[in-house]
Amino acid sequence: MIDWTNGWLWIIAALLLALIEMILPGYVFLGMAAAVAVMGALLLSGLWTAGLPAALVLTAVLSGLIWLALSRMRGVDRSATRIWHRDINDNE
């Protein structure tokens, strides 16, 4: 039986998610890796005493917040294809 309150398992999972992020970049796995690492640190320090369901909920919320922060820091991709909805020759 796996002891989900072991912080080292969460840290190892965070490293594996970071490795997946290196293979498939997109900031999605990086956000998850950071959230899982935070949860692992909370478990190792003894600050988190709630059970696994609450830990998974907090990890999901943290993952979304970290992903949002990373996507805001990354900014808009200027090399992306632009879609024009209006032609310069259209008279309005």
Side-chain angles (χ1 to χ4, degrees):
M1 189 82 181
I2 296 176
D3 181 22
W4 292 105
T5 60
N6 186 354
W8 289 111
L9 290 176
W10 290 79
I11 299 294
I12 291 170
L15 291 174
L16 290 174
L17 285 168
L19 180 67
I20 292 171
E21 176 65 34
M22 291 176 67
I23 296 169
L24 302 169
Y27 291 105
V28 175
F29 293 107
L30 188 60
M32 284 191 277
V36 171
V38 167
M39 182 52 66
L42 287 174
L43 286 167
L44 283 176
S45 66
L47 294 174
W48 188 261
T49 57
L52 178 63
L56 292 175
V57 168
L58 180 65
T59 303
V61 170
L62 282 175
S63 177
L65 291 174
I66 291 171
W67 177 84
L68 186 63
L70 287 173
S71 65
R72 297 284 178 175
M73 287 176 17
R74 181 179 51 176
V76 177
D77 185 13
R78 300 287 181 199
S79 66
T81 304
R82 287 187 168 178
I83 298 173
W84 296 95
H85 297 287
R86 186 178 153 272
D87 192 348
I88 194 168
N89 295 320
D90 287 343
N91 293 324
E92 292 183 10

